[in-house]
Amino acid sequence: MSCRWGTELWDQFDNLERHTHWGIEFVEKYTKFVKERSEIEISYAKQIRNLSKKYQPKKNSREEDEYKYTSCRAFLMTLNELNDYAGQHEVMAEDLTTHIICELTRYIQELKAERKSHFHDGRRAQQHIENSWKQLESSKRRFERDCKEADRAQQYFDKIDADINVTKADVEKARQQAQMKHQVAEDSKNEYLTFLQKFNKEQNAHYHTLIPHIFQKLQEMEEKRIERVGESMKTYAEVDRKVLPIVGKCLDGMTNAAESIEPKMDTKHVVESYKSGFEPPGDVEVEDYSLSMRRTVSESSYLNSQGESKPSRSNSRGKLWPFIKRNKGSGPEDCSHLPPEQRRKKLQAKINDINKEIQKEMDQRDALSKMKDVYIKNPHMGDPNSVDPRLEEICQNIDKLQLDARKYEAWLVEVETRLAEKISMLLVFTVALHVVSPDGSYTEDHSTEHPLKSRSTDFDDDFDYEDPLPTIGTCKSLYPFEGQNEGTISMTEGELLYVIEEDKGDGWTRVRRNEDEEGYVPTSYIKKKNMACMIS
């Protein structure tokens, strides 16, 4: 389709001026739209970052202990991925500003200057042709006036010449006046014809050369403006598309974090955190006061007897410690106020801290020793004896820390020995619970020997004979996807796949390539079609 403003809109100067002004306003309007979108992305990214920061664990707080649980670690991973997700929105805002807003702002200034130049040339050409027309009109009116005056002079001469009473001199004077007027009219006619020829020539150039050239420039400017807006709109979409893979990785990271949660491991950590190491209390023995027998209490009972017929209140409360809230104090140095298992963990943590301090002091000692050697070899750099007081202090600290470490290690060995004895007793008790057959022979209960193995076998058998899911439609991949996680499937761009299970709200669709290859792909990476229910 071909059109030329210069020939088809030769008389629409004012309308073209209004239209091109509207075109610039449209570019400014689109630039403002992109700017507001960029501000939204920045604000959104800031809020997302603040949200992620708000729920990050505080240093040196109790929340740090919570992150030994897989669910808490998964939440932390989700917060980190969310922070990266916010970063992608900042990238979008930056790209929108750099590639669209700044570019269009600069282009609008160039566009205004170019438009102003073209219409300045157009107005100058319009003014020139108007001036030429005014000159033509002026010469025409002058020619008309001179002709009328020449006619009046001729009529006067004819009247005088016919009058016999007029002197010859008056007749000659009238004749000369008529001739002069005729000459003036002839000169005006020649001038008029000259201006007419000039105007026609300039008018032809104006409407067939100057104005078409200016309007053609305006048309090219307008087409370039429209093309530039189209490119900006394409860039606008590409800015979004550019971050999609990284956003997808952030979402995959959140999914992986959720899949890394292990409930059994978390419940095991609960045991490690709160296990006391005590055995449950045994049965309370009968106390028959009618026989005046001494009261006896099993060693594992809640009641505590020290050979007296009536236990003291303080001793009995000492045995009931698991159900009594104690004051949160530091306790004795050997942590004997804690349950065995908690005491073991506390002592081990203390030993680890002491070993770290020892290593730190030893590093300082080695550094000072090297410094002293340098001073000995280069006396001008410093006095070797100046290092000795600090070296002696560090050596004393190391000796003290090593003494403390041996002390805590001795307490730890004591606790571990007692725990090992209790474990041995528990094993003996477990062996005593083996089943004895009716004929008196010894047998073992194999029903609980390998429960996980039998369950796994049953699951595998069910899985092997499970019918394949029917095809419910087809889809075409929009982007390539590398299915690196278990349960996913890779695909290339433009590949046709069969849909066997729709997205259930988690962002994944199950597809099949052939009888042996099936798995999940991101729903946003495919375009579904022919989704009517089908029986394969």
Side-chain angles (χ1 to χ4, degrees), residues 284-509:
V284 179
E285 296 183 2
V286 177
E287 300 182 21
D288 193 348
Y289 293 100
S290 63
L291 300 178
S292 302
M293 297 176 62
R294 292 185 59 84
R295 187 178 181 187
T296 59
V297 183
S298 65
E299 187 175 338
S300 61
S301 171
Y302 285 141
L303 304 179
N304 183 20
S305 175
Q306 297 181 352
E308 298 178 1
S309 60
K310 187 175 181 179
S312 65
R313 182 177 181 85
S314 61
N315 288 339
S316 63
R317 287 179 62 86
K319 272 293 187 178
L320 291 172
W321 73 266
F323 308 101
I324 299 174
K325 293 183 179 179
R326 294 180 175 272
N327 294 330
K328 295 183 179 180
S330 59
E333 190 178 8
D334 61 354
C335 302
S336 57
H337 64 297
L338 298 175
E341 186 66 26
Q342 301 301 316
R343 182 187 181 193
R344 182 189 67 79
K345 292 176 62 177
K346 191 74 172 179
L347 292 173
Q348 185 64 58
K350 189 67 177 177
I351 292 172
N352 293 338
D353 292 340
I354 292 175
N355 289 334
K356 290 179 182 178
E357 290 294 327
I358 292 175
Q359 186 61 45
K360 183 178 178 181
E361 294 289 340
M362 292 177 69
D363 291 342
Q364 292 187 19
R365 182 190 63 186
D366 295 342
L368 288 174
S369 298
K370 291 179 181 179
M371 184 183 295
K372 183 176 181 179
D373 292 340
V374 171
Y375 288 169
I376 292 174
K377 295 178 182 178
N378 303 280
H380 64 280
M381 296 181 65
D383 183 10
N385 296 326
S386 63
V387 184
D388 290 340
R390 178 57 181 158
L391 271 175
E392 183 178 357
E393 180 183 354
I394 291 176
C395 290
Q396 291 176 358
N397 292 339
I398 292 175
D399 292 340
K400 183 178 180 301
L401 290 170
Q402 288 176 343
L403 182 63
D404 291 342
R406 288 193 291 271
K407 178 173 61 176
Y408 282 100
E409 287 172 355
W411 288 331
L412 180 61
V413 169
E414 175 188 351
V415 175
E416 291 179 340
T417 302
R418 293 182 181 178
L419 288 174
E421 292 175 354
K422 291 184 178 181
I423 292 173
S424 299
M425 293 176 63
L426 182 59
L427 290 174
V428 172
F429 177 73
T430 303
V431 171
L433 293 179
H434 280 90
V435 178
V436 179
S437 62
D439 59 358
S441 60
Y442 173 78
T443 61
E444 292 184 357
D445 185 2
H446 296 280
S447 62
T448 60
E449 186 174 3
H450 299 291
L452 293 177
K453 181 177 180 182
S454 62
R455 182 180 179 184
S456 175
T457 303
D458 294 340
F459 175 78
D460 293 339
D461 292 342
D462 293 341
F463 183 82
D464 291 339
Y465 291 97
E466 183 180 359
D467 293 333
L469 293 174
T471 300
I472 61 175
T474 60
C475 66
K476 183 179 180 181
S477 59
L478 301 176
Y479 318 102
F481 173 69
E482 297 180 3
Q484 299 179 350
N485 297 329
E486 183 179 357
T488 61
I489 184 174
S490 302
M491 62 181 181
T492 59
E493 184 177 352
E495 185 176 3
L496 185 64
L497 301 168
Y498 298 97
V499 178
I500 58 177
E501 186 177 336
E502 288 197 75
D503 189 343
K504 296 181 179 179
D506 56 359
W508 294 88
T509 300

Side-chain angles (χ1 to χ4, degrees), residues 221-234:
M221 180 193 75
E222 181 69 4
E223 290 173 353
K224 184 178 179 181
R225 175 192 69 81
I226 297 170
E227 182 181 4
R228 192 67 174 267
V229 171
E231 291 174 354
S232 297
M233 289 180 177
K234 183 179 179 181

Side-chain angles (χ1 to χ4, degrees), residues 198-217:
K198 177 184 176 184
F199 175 77
N200 288 334
K201 182 180 179 180
E202 290 179 349
Q203 180 177 250
N204 184 72
H206 178 81
Y207 289 111
H208 292 85
T209 303
L210 292 178
I211 289 300
H213 178 73
I214 293 172
F215 282 9
Q216 190 61 33
K217 291 290 185 182

Side-chain angles (χ1 to χ4, degrees), residues 35-173:
K35 184 178 180 181
E36 291 184 6
R37 165 71 191 279
S38 176
E39 291 172 351
I40 289 173
E41 293 295 339
I42 292 175
S43 176
Y44 178 68
K46 182 179 180 181
Q47 293 180 46
I48 291 294
R49 283 195 184 279
N50 290 339
L51 179 65
S52 175
K53 183 179 180 181
K54 177 181 178 181
Y55 285 91
Q56 289 281 351
K58 304 297 186 296
K59 291 185 178 180
N60 302 323
S61 69
R62 185 183 176 186
E63 291 183 8
E64 286 189 338
D65 296 336
E66 297 175 358
Y67 283 85
K68 62 189 174 185
Y69 299 110
T70 59
S71 57
C72 294
R73 289 200 299 270
F75 180 50
L76 180 59
M77 292 170 62
T78 300
L79 293 176
N80 294 334
E81 293 291 350
L82 190 63
N83 195 57
D84 295 340
Y85 176 83
Q88 296 311 305
H89 285 274
E90 291 175 342
V91 170
M92 287 175 58
E94 182 179 353
D95 288 346
L96 289 174
T97 301
T98 303
H99 301 304
I100 297 182
I101 299 174
C102 293
E103 290 293 330
L104 286 184
T105 301
R106 182 167 55 251
Y107 174 66
I108 288 172
Q109 299 304 319
E110 297 173 357
L111 190 62
K112 287 181 176 180
E114 182 180 358
R115 175 182 176 276
K116 181 179 180 180
S117 174
H118 292 325
F119 279 103
H120 175 74
D121 294 341
R123 288 193 184 89
R124 186 169 58 182
Q126 194 75 21
Q127 186 66 39
H128 179 76
I129 197 67
E130 288 177 0
N131 291 336
S132 181
W133 171 257
K134 288 178 181 179
Q135 288 179 349
L136 176 62
E137 285 293 311
S138 177
S139 66
K140 179 181 176 181
R141 287 193 299 270
R142 187 163 54 249
F143 172 52
E144 181 183 10
R145 184 189 65 217
D146 290 344
C147 286
K148 289 180 179 180
E149 289 180 357
D151 288 340
R152 284 196 296 268
Q154 184 64 38
Q155 291 174 4
Y156 179 73
F157 169 71
D158 291 341
K159 180 180 179 183
I160 292 295
D161 188 42
D163 191 353
I164 58 175
N165 297 321
V166 178
T167 63
K168 186 178 181 179
D170 292 336
V171 172
E172 183 63 22
K173 182 178 178 182

